[in-house]
Amino acid sequence: MEISTLATYHFLAFAWYLFVAYSIAHVKTEERPSEVFLYGGQWKYLTVLNLILQAVFYGVSFLADVLRLIKKLRCAKCVISSRDLLFSVLAFPVSTFVCISFWTLYTYNRELVYPKSLDGVIPLWLNHAMHTAVLPFALLEILALPHRYPAKKKGLILLGFVAFLYISWVLWIYSVTGEWVYPLFALFSPPGLAAFFAGSLAIIISFYNFGEFLNRMIWGQSKFSS
């Protein structure tokens, strides 16, 4: 794909994620269902954190494209390294996890992750923007250009560290409020919850490996952005 075309695509994706994040941030709190508590704001939800992550990633990608267009190759190389690390370790596996885990649990019992009362607060298009569109965007990014993956150990350590931070945030919120971010968590005993978190980490690691596999299958071992 031509650099100018990539720049346009990355800018539009960046603008889209900013718009979605803005839209969810401005949902009226006075209309919130009783199941939704205020502590932690929108920042307690992995879905919302993923929107910010995707906006940052596409913003960095657009910056890399612009630097390549204006021939600032030394600066571009550094930004591209950051772009590839963001995509491989976080943007692809997290967006894939958000989409697949949400719709799996929603199909099983939506009250565990997205109570029906939210339908009156969050429009249908916004629900799909947060939970559905993130996966096609991630797949399109893999098709658009190759990404350099870090050494497997480094990538998994970084992914595991971010997962640990989010789990710690969820547990902190529970310790303060006595409420779980997602109703699903209330169903588990402490050992069961630990097993659920471990299983979720294993799933997101599998998505990391899947992204690396797709990148290698489409672009080969040696073709990377420069």
Side-chain angles (χ1 to χ4, degrees), residues 1 14 38 40 69 76 85 88 94 117 120 125 131 143 154 222 225:
M1 191 179 290
F14 172 62
L38 288 177
L69 282 171
L85 189 66
S88 60
V94 173
S117 54
W125 74 265
H131 297 115
L143 293 172
K154 176 183 177 181
S222 58
S225 301

Side-chain angles (χ1 to χ4, degrees), residues 74-128:
R74 182 175 297 181
C75 294
K77 186 175 181 180
C78 179
V79 176
I80 286 171
S81 296
S82 299
R83 178 202 70 190
D84 288 348
L85 189 66
L86 268 174
F87 181 76
S88 60
V89 175
L90 294 176
F92 182 84
V94 173
S95 60
T96 306
F97 179 82
V98 164
C99 179
I100 292 179
S101 63
F102 175 82
W103 288 113
T104 298
L105 292 169
Y106 185 98
T107 301
Y108 173 71
N109 181 359
R110 66 170 298 177
E111 296 299 319
L112 298 177
V113 290
Y114 194 84
K116 189 173 179 60
S117 54
L118 286 174
D119 289 346
V121 179
I122 300 176
L124 181 62
W125 74 265
L126 187 52
N127 181 17
H128 283 292

Side-chain angles (χ1 to χ4, degrees), residues 163-214:
F164 171 77
L165 288 180
Y166 181 68
I167 291 171
S168 298
W169 175 227
V170 167
L171 295 176
W172 170 260
I173 290 173
Y174 178 74
S175 71
V176 172
T177 67
E179 300 281 350
W180 288 111
V181 172
Y182 298 103
L184 169 70
F185 297 158
L187 300 179
F188 295 104
S189 64
L193 190 62
F196 177 83
F197 286 147
S200 297
L201 179 59
I203 290 171
I204 202 169
I205 287 174
S206 72
F207 292 146
Y208 171 92
N209 290 327
F210 180 60
E212 186 177 32
F213 168 76
L214 286 179

Side-chain angles (χ1 to χ4, degrees), residues 50-61:
N50 181 55
L51 294 177
I52 303 304
L53 167 64
Q54 301 303 321
V56 170
F57 165 70
Y58 283 106
V60 171
S61 298

Side-chain angles (χ1 to χ4, degrees), residues 16-28 42 123 125-126:
W16 165 253
Y17 276 112
L18 284 182
F19 171 69
V20 175
Y22 175 85
S23 298
I24 192 65
H26 285 76
V27 170
K28 295 180 179 179
Q42 303 284 2
W125 74 265
L126 187 52

